[in-house]
Each structure stands twice: as C-alpha cells, then as structure tokens.
Amino acid sequence: METRVNQIELNGLTFQYRENGDPSAAPLVALHALGKSAESWDQVAVALGEKYRVLALDQRGHAGSARAGTYTFELMCDDLLHFANAMNLEQFTLLGHSMGGTVSYLFSERFPSRIEKLIVVDTPPPFPDKPIEIPSNPPGPLPFDWLVVPSILRQLNDPNPEWWARLKDIIKPTLIIGGGSSHIPQNKLKEVSELIPNCELVTIDHAGHFVHDDNLPAFLAAVKRFLFS
C-alpha cells in the first residue's frame, strides 16, 4: 500500500501528515527531527505498515505544515494532542527521533494513558550542558522555517528540569534506541532508561544520530522485536 499524503487543520493551523498501512490497524504516530520531515520515516513506515497504521506528522514549521512563527517543545506536544484527538486515536504507539523524541517524552509524561508503547531514537530530554551557539540564518530557501532553530536551541540551552523529573510518569513499555557512533552522549540515554519504569535501551552499531538512515535493518529488527513480541 503506497504512502498517502494528507492535510488536516489543528487549532487553526494546517498540518501535513503521511500515512501507511491499513487504516483499521493499530495506530503508530512518528515524529521527525529538527529540520527534517515526515518523509524521513518513509522506509520505516513501509516496514511497520505491515501491522500498523503509521501516521508520520510534519511538525509545525516543517515541510507541508504551517509556518506558525512560534516554536517550543510544549507547542509541538500540544500539536500532537490535537492531532491524536482529531484522528480519534484513543491510544497509540509513539515513535520520535531527536526533536521529535523530546516531544514524545513530554507527551508521554503529560498523557501517559494515551500511549500504548513509546520508542525514542537517540535523544534524552534536554539537559544542562555547555551552551550551544545559535547559528545565523543561512542564505537561500529552506524546507522548514528557520525560526524553529533558534527557538529549539534556546530550550536546549535552558531546559525545564521537570522534563527529567517526570520521566518516572511514563508508565507504558518504552524502547530507547541509541546510535553507537552518535554525537549524543549515550550515558544520558542510559540515565533515561533507568528513570522510566518499564524501559529498555538498545544501541545500534554502525549508526550515528540518524540511526534509521545509517542502519535501517538493525533499527527495524530492534523496533519489530519490541513492538511485535
């Protein structure tokens, strides 16, 4: 079944999402990284679409979704709630990478009963670290709103400590996937896995931060074992 591209209005903003799998199958929502799009999940969505209705959302400011002008992890979490409600998803599996992974943590902390299972790819919630320099706007057109970058980096530089404190509120089975050669500190992923009550950490060798691009077979093997067992 080929990928279906749809648009939906959420809280006055237009969002685009990509859909794979049988519409009557159990739902799985996928959230992409900063500067990426729902399309970054296409290969994963085809594989998981054998058993799931995979809904990959272009988050605000990205690809086919609205350039909202204001961007925070919390607003993206609200967007996900509006999306889940509009699609009548009582409970769903949530898959998030990088920026989308942080949104997934926040959503799972705030609405634990809405989650069936949680998969986060190569990100802990933001934590105090050496400040990230906010780059200047590059010349030329971009496939996303540049304003997302300084907004999200400001939150990385000054994270809300509650995001870590509430990891214990994530009650559903959770899988964290790390990239063996990623720039993300893997010891932080281990810390997260020890704070979430029912959590497994898997490290994928021969993969950097974009784990599902770098080693798709190993990524899918880990995800399918978690989801289908």
Side-chain angles (χ1 to χ4, degrees):
M1 199 179 282
E2 63 182 37
T3 301
R4 301 167 311 272
V5 181
N6 303 296
Q7 290 196 324
I8 189 170
E9 187 158 309
L10 305 173
N11 203 27
L13 297 172
T14 300
F15 285 78
Q16 186 166 287
Y17 66 96
R18 301 169 75 82
E19 183 171 359
N20 285 81
D22 186 333
S24 65
L28 182 151
V29 177
L31 301 178
H32 60 79
L34 174 65
K36 295 290 183 178
S37 73
E39 199 172 347
S40 65
W41 289 116
D42 274 5
Q43 287 181 287
V44 173
V46 167
L48 297 183
E50 295 165 15
K51 291 203 176 180
Y52 280 87
R53 178 193 187 192
V54 181
L55 301 161
L57 180 67
D58 284 333
Q59 296 183 89
R60 62 169 56 210
H62 291 77
S65 289
R67 307 301 189 249
T70 48
Y71 303 99
T72 64
F73 288 119
E74 293 90 345
L75 285 170
M76 292 177 183
C77 184
D78 291 341
D79 295 337
L80 175 56
L81 178 64
H82 290 303
F83 181 66
N85 289 344
M87 301 297 286
N88 296 312
L89 308 180
E90 285 280 313
Q91 252 198 353
F92 56 97
T93 292
L94 182 55
L95 165 62
H97 173 227
S98 200
M99 177 185 80
T102 293
V103 177
S104 299
Y105 286 128
L106 267 59
F107 186 90
S108 303
E109 291 171 0
R110 283 175 58 191
F111 308 105
S113 64
R114 299 293 293 270
I115 298 299
E116 185 76 40
K117 288 185 173 182
L118 172 64
I119 304 169
V120 176
V121 184
D122 207 53
T123 194
F127 57 92
D129 199 13
K130 55 181 183 294
I132 305 164
E133 192 174 331
I134 295 174
S136 54
N137 189 344
L142 294 167
F144 64 97
D145 186 351
W146 179 256
L147 283 175
V148 180
V149 175
S151 302
I152 290 301
L153 291 186
R154 276 195 287 273
Q155 286 197 288
L156 294 183
N157 286 335
D158 186 22
N160 183 344
E162 196 176 276
W163 298 342
W164 275 81
R166 293 193 62 184
L167 286 170
K168 65 182 188 311
D169 296 337
I170 299 174
I171 52 176
K172 295 301 172 75
T174 299
L175 172 66
I176 298 174
I177 298 178
S181 53
S182 172
H183 67 281
I184 299 295
Q186 299 295 296
N187 63 315
K188 285 290 178 184
L189 300 185
K190 189 168 190 305
E191 280 182 48
V192 174
S193 72
E194 290 166 353
L195 291 167
I196 296 174
N198 183 4
C199 187
E200 177 187 359
L201 171 62
V202 171
T203 303
I204 304 289
D205 294 329
H206 312 298
H209 184 51
F210 288 86
V211 185
H212 50 293
D213 290 338
D214 296 341
N215 195 340
L216 182 65
F219 177 86
L220 286 175
V223 168
K224 287 180 172 181
R225 185 175 54 78
F226 174 69
L227 290 180
F228 302 160
S229 60

